[in-house]
């Protein structure tokens, strides 16, 4: 199966049209302004001199590249001179300052001319990969190819240094990204050598002594160096690195029909999503190394769950789906999409979370300890830019291209993976989906195609659904026979439900999460008063849907809170007060000032 590219998909209404409008009208400009003010764009001019402030950081190029990629995708919505001018100016600078080999890196070119490709941990190949993705995106959206050609030269140089001459100080990228980018470069240009280079890096990863981290801070797990990739059984180390690498592995497995590599991808997917993923689709249980830890270790208050990691999990899931329609891949994608990714950006599109905790108690951020050194708790409010600002432009490019994940085709079947009010141009016809999903589960599909079957995904969370046609259910998809021109109605029942975690997730023992459809809900102090974690939700609770300012309904039910007491310990009794408990979509937490938040609630 092949996913239909978002350039053939228009999101025409509902939840996602609004989110994309904010992304286009606000986020694109807000991220650009912050990156301009912090000299990230100026750094491309490569004029920085020793002793001056604002030395270009080793991965600023990747920030700018992701912004260009996102802005390029936005050009799909119509001519946009402002964004185009910024992209062209950045491309001018990149082309002007690329050296005679095609090499470009705004940090190394002005700080360490003689040290190219000598430090594996310093993100040169990671930045190169993001620049290549940006160039492919701009070429695909506009047909302008000078950036693409420049990045091909750069890729040729990387091939020469790493694969042909083997003259670099290390063998494979430290922070993965180039692997998946080379596959995109290959698809954009048809030049097989880029796929071969990607395969080379995947084949060699985890086999070389000179690939041990060079600054002594990290162990072999950090960059997934502890074994050859085909042997992997679990996902380890830095989450974004692990998941970008898995994306590259999946791409290479698909291109080369590499069953061993695919099996490793499947094992890692199962390990992550079966044992190491938050209910929000966030991954990364510790900020130490921004990493995976142990199976079932999912602390809520100190969750790392970087926005980029949830995006990377969605990208990986989308790729796994292309190996065959299995609903579980689309389920994970949907989980990340509506929860751990969207929580990364404020409702107004201007500010961002890097870490996405599942519980917030603001008092902990300032708590006294016996040293001046503070323990690390995630920040409680989104901010406009970070020193390490990888997440904001990642959100930008991801939301602008979210249409990539809706539809797929193979020889005889058209697949619907995700439900958004949208239209798609098919090779042999058209498809229109009308829905308010996930506000409700009613979906009207009109399609004109010669494909024999339509496969509509029945989400794993859905216990009851109706179709206005006979269907055959297989691996999370309902298959319907098509007649050429069809109207199909799907109704996914979406009652509010309580979900509990595996008992091995000790942190969530005795607690439940409230979900409606794919959306996880949370309780905030601003609605419910203090000590959120002490509030219990009724086990057989009735939930009313309320209008909210967050695009999807809020929920109202009865909650039980222990009566206030001055004593530290009291004899247990049934001394609870009933309170109206309001829950909002998790993605919308922290949009109304600093306040407590809990997602896992006690059950009465
Ligand atoms: O190192 C570059 C990016 O910064 C990573 O992908 C993120 O996890 C953050 O560490
Ligand atoms: Zn990030």
């Amino acid at each position: 199966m092949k996913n239909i590219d978002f350039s053939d998909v228009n999101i025409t209404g509902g939840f996602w049209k609004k989110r994309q409008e904010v992304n286009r009208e606000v986020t694109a400009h807000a991220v650009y302004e912050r990156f301009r003010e912090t000299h990230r764009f100026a750094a491309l001019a490569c004029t920085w001199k020793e002793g001056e402030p604002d030395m270009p950081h080793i991965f600023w190029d990747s920030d700018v590249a992701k912004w260009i990629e996102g802005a390029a995708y936005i050009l799909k919505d119509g001519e946009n001179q402002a964004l185009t001018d910024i992209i062209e100016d950045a491309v001018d600078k990149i082309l002007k300052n690329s050296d005679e080999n095609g090499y470009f890196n705004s940090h190394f070119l002005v700080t360490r001319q003689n040290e190219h490709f000598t430090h594996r941990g310093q993100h040169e190949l990671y930045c190169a990969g993001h620049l290549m993705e940006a160039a492919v995106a701009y070429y695909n959206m506009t047909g302008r190819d000078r950036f693409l050609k420049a990045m091909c030269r750069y890729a040729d140089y990387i091939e020469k240094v790493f694969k042909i001459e083997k003259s670099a100080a290390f063998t494979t990228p430290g922070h993965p990204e180039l692997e998946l980018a080379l596959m995109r470069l290959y698809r954009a240009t048809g030049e097989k050598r880029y796929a071969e280079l990607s395969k080379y890096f995947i084949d060699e990863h985890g086999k070389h002594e000179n690939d041990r981290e060079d600054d002594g801070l990290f162990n072999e797990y950090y960059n997934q160096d502890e074994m050859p990739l085909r042997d992997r059984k679990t996902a380890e180390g830095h989450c974004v690195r692990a998941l970008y690498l898995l994306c590259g592995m999946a791409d290479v497995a698909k291109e080369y029909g590499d069953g061993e590599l695919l099996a490793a991808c499947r094992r890692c997917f199962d390990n992550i999503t079966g044992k190491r993923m938050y209910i929000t689709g966030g991954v990364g249980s510790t900020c130490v190394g921004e990493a995976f830890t142990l199976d079932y270790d999912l602390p809520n208050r100190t969750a790392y769950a970087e926005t980029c990691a949830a995006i990377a999990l969605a990208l990986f899931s989308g790729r796994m789906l292309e190996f065959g329609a299995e609903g579980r891949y689309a389920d994970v994608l949907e989980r990340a999409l509506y929860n751990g990714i969207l929580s990364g950006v404020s409702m107004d599109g201007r500010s961002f979370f890097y870490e996405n905790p599942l519980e917030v108690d603001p008092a902990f951020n300032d708590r006294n300890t016996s040293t001046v050194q503070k323990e690390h708790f995630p920040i409680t409010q989104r901010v406009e830019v970070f020193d390490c600002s990888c997440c904001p432009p990642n959100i930008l490019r991801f939301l602008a291209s979210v249409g990539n994940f809706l539809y797929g085709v193979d020889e005889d079947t058209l697949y619907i993976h995700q439900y958004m009010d949208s239209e798609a141009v098919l090779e042999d016809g058209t498809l229109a989906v009308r829905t308010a999903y996930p506000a409700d589960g009613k979906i009207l599909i009109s399609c004109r195609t010669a494909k024999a079957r339509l496969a509509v995904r029945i989400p794993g969370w859905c216990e009851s659904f109706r179709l206005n046609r006979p269907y055959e259910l297989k691996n999370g998809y309902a298959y319907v026979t098509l007649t050429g021109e069809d109207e199909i109605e799907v109704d996914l029942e979406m009652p509010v439900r309580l979900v509990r975690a595996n008992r091995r997730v000790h942190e969530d023992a005795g607690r439940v999460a409230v979900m409606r459809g794919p959306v996880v809900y949370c309780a905030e102090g601003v609605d419910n008063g203090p000590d959120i974690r002490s509030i219990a939700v009724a086990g057989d609770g009735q939930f009313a849907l309320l209008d909210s300012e967050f695009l999807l309904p809020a929920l109202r039910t009865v909650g039980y809170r222990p009566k206030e007491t001055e004593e530290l310990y009291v004899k247990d009794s049934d001394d609870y007060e009933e309170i109206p408990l309001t829950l909002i979509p998790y993605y919308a937490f922290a949009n109304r000032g600093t306040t407590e938040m809990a997602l896992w609630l006690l059950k009465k």
Side-chain angles (χ1 to χ4, degrees):
M1 187 214 310
K2 202 177 154 355
N3 292 339
I4 295 181
D5 191 89
F6 83 99
S7 55
D8 288 323
V9 176
N10 275 327
I11 294 177
T12 38
F15 183 87
W16 285 100
K17 182 155 192 260
K18 294 190 184 118
R19 295 300 306 218
Q20 283 203 324
E21 269 164 16
V22 171
N23 195 48
R24 181 180 63 239
E25 302 301 330
V26 181
T27 305
H29 301 281
V31 175
Y32 169 69
E33 280 305 323
R34 300 298 83 76
F35 282 3
R36 189 187 56 74
E37 289 162 7
T38 51
H39 312 284
R40 284 166 162 86
F41 275 89
L44 302 176
C46 297
T47 52
W48 182 86
K49 301 267 176 326
E50 195 63 51
E52 291 180 1
D54 308 311
M55 181 178 84
H57 185 268
I58 53 170
F59 51 80
W60 274 3
D61 290 350
S62 69
D63 294 342
V64 170
K66 271 184 278 182
W67 184 90
I68 294 175
E69 189 185 340
Y73 295 151
I74 286 172
L75 299 181
K76 171 177 180 294
D77 297 346
E79 212 172 293
N80 189 322
Q81 204 52 50
L83 296 185
T84 305
D85 288 348
I86 300 168
I87 297 174
E88 284 290 325
D89 183 60
V91 172
D92 280 345
K93 293 191 170 95
I94 293 166
L95 266 57
K96 177 162 176 264
N97 295 301
S98 295
D99 75 8
E100 64 283 5
N101 297 310
Y103 175 95
F104 181 83
N105 184 294
S106 70
H107 170 85
F108 275 87
L109 283 170
V110 297
T111 59
R112 293 186 271 174
Q113 263 293 8
N114 301 321
E115 295 180 31
H116 300 177
F117 302 138
T118 56
H119 302 286
R120 184 172 184 245
Q122 305 256 306
H123 291 68
E124 276 165 299
L125 296 180
Y126 166 78
C127 288
H130 275 303
L131 287 166
M132 287 172 201
E133 283 206 87
V136 169
Y138 193 49
Y139 170 70
N140 286 345
M141 303 317 297
T142 64
R144 294 181 199 185
D145 65 359
R146 65 186 183 124
F147 191 17
L148 185 74
K149 283 185 171 151
M151 287 306 113
C152 287
R153 269 190 76 216
Y154 194 2
D156 294 342
Y157 178 54
I158 292 171
E159 181 194 32
K160 179 166 169 267
V161 172
F162 283 85
K163 192 176 159 200
I164 301 171
E165 295 176 350
K166 298 188 177 15
S167 54
F170 52 96
T171 307
T172 65
H175 190 314
E177 155 64 22
L178 181 64
E179 303 84 346
L180 73 88
L182 285 166
M183 292 305 294
R184 293 191 68 185
L185 201 59
Y186 156 58
R187 285 192 216 106
T189 60
E191 293 289 352
K192 188 79 184 197
R193 66 179 183 283
Y194 300 134
E196 292 283 309
L197 183 57
S198 177
K199 181 174 181 316
Y200 170 78
F201 285 134
I202 298 282
D203 286 344
E204 297 307 314
H205 201 112
K207 294 185 182 167
H208 295 270
E209 216 24 69
N210 68 351
D211 275 356
R212 299 292 169 237
E213 196 59 39
D214 56 14
D215 63 6
L217 263 181
F218 303 96
N219 63 25
E220 69 270 29
Y221 292 96
Y222 184 64
N223 288 331
Q224 299 71 47
D225 294 330
E226 74 278 23
M227 66 180 83
L229 299 181
R230 285 177 180 74
D231 298 342
R232 297 207 70 86
K233 294 189 176 50
T234 57
E236 304 295 342
H238 184 277
C239 294
V240 180
R241 293 171 200 235
L243 281 156
Y244 283 0
L245 186 55
L246 283 163
C247 288
M249 287 164 64
D251 286 342
V252 169
K254 186 116 203 277
E255 179 62 27
Y256 290 90
D258 187 330
E260 263 190 345
L261 206 49
L262 175 59
C265 288
R266 287 200 200 283
R267 288 194 298 270
C268 290
F269 183 90
D270 291 348
N271 171 246
I272 295 169
T273 63
K275 296 177 176 162
R276 299 182 176 197
M277 177 182 71
Y278 286 97
I279 192 168
T280 56
V283 285
S285 304
T286 175
C287 66
V288 180
E290 308 185 318
F292 292 106
T293 56
L294 304 171
D295 291 348
Y296 306 107
D297 174 33
L298 295 164
N300 293 314
R301 195 172 285 172
T302 54
Y304 155 66
E306 183 184 340
T307 305
C308 284
I311 289 174
L313 179 60
L315 296 174
F316 177 43
S317 305
R319 282 163 165 84
M320 293 306 287
L321 198 49
E322 289 193 289
F323 290 99
E326 285 189 54
R328 65 202 183 107
Y329 295 121
D331 284 349
V332 168
L333 206 156
E334 182 177 62
R335 184 188 288 283
L337 187 58
Y338 284 101
N339 303 291
I341 293 176
L342 278 186
S343 60
V345 57
S346 58
M347 294 303 296
D348 70 5
R350 279 179 207 288
S351 53
F352 307 90
F353 275 136
Y354 182 106
E355 292 150 292
N356 293 270
L358 283 77
E359 185 177 306
V360 175
D361 183 344
F364 272 73
N365 286 57
D366 308 315
R367 73 182 183 169
N368 280 328
T369 59
S370 57
T371 72
V372 287
Q373 216 176 358
K374 294 273 180 196
E375 287 165 81
H376 180 84
F377 290 94
I379 55 174
T380 58
Q381 285 290 286
R382 294 176 187 82
V383 297
E384 294 192 355
V385 68
F386 303 88
D387 287 345
C388 172
S389 216
C390 45
C391 302
N394 220 353
I395 284 263
L396 174 73
R397 70 174 184 153
F398 185 84
L399 295 188
S401 57
V402 73
N404 274 332
F405 304 105
L406 311 193
Y407 307 119
V409 278
D410 61 20
E411 309 77 61
D412 64 352
T413 308
L414 169 63
Y415 297 87
I416 303 191
H417 304 307
Q418 306 293 339
Y419 297 109
M420 299 187 191
D421 191 280
S422 59
E423 292 166 1
V425 181
L426 310 175
E427 268 174 16
D428 63 355
T430 55
L431 168 69
V433 172
R434 298 291 164 233
T435 182
Y437 190 95
D440 69 47
K442 291 190 184 30
I443 299 138
L444 179 61
I445 302 161
S446 316
C447 58
R448 188 171 49 74
T449 171
K451 300 273 180 219
R453 301 187 304 172
L454 177 74
V456 295
R457 174 174 151 258
I458 307 301
W461 54 260
C462 181
E463 290 180 347
S464 174
F465 65 94
R466 279 180 300 282
L467 250 88
N468 66 342
R469 293 280 188 90
Y471 61 85
E472 192 195 334
L473 199 58
K474 202 175 126 201
N475 286 338
Y477 286 79
Y479 288 79
V480 174
T481 303
L482 293 177
T483 59
E485 248 185 275
D486 297 80
E487 295 250 312
I488 292 152
E489 287 170 34
V490 186
D491 193 355
L492 306 171
E493 276 189 26
M494 214 183 257
V496 177
R497 65 193 190 281
L498 303 184
V499 177
R500 71 162 188 249
N502 185 297
R503 73 178 198 195
R504 296 182 189 121
V505 185
H506 298 170
E507 175 99 6
D508 302 334
R511 294 180 175 269
V512 289
V514 179
M515 293 187 72
R516 179 169 181 267
V519 178
V520 182
Y521 279 75
C522 69
E524 284 203 299
V526 65
D527 296 312
N528 301 298
D531 308 318
I532 296 282
R533 265 179 63 89
S534 72
I535 300 174
V537 61
D540 56 353
Q542 299 293 310
F543 291 85
L545 269 47
L546 307 180
D547 286 344
S548 90
E549 59 195 286
F550 304 125
L551 297 181
L552 292 179
L555 305 177
R556 171 72 55 77
T557 188
V558 177
Y560 301 88
R561 188 203 302 271
K563 287 253 172 71
E564 175 79 298
T565 161
E566 289 310 314
E567 288 155 71
L568 192 50
Y569 303 106
V570 291
K571 184 169 185 297
D572 184 35
S573 70
D574 227 4
D575 207 8
Y576 295 90
E577 59 180 351
E578 275 189 24
I579 57 162
L581 178 63
T582 304
L583 305 173
I584 62 164
Y586 166 79
Y587 64 70
F589 85 92
N591 274 277
R592 296 169 295 170
T594 296
T595 187
E596 277 185 50
M597 183 275 283
L599 185 160
W600 290 101
L601 302 171
L602 293 169
K603 189 172 100 173
K604 185 140 165 74

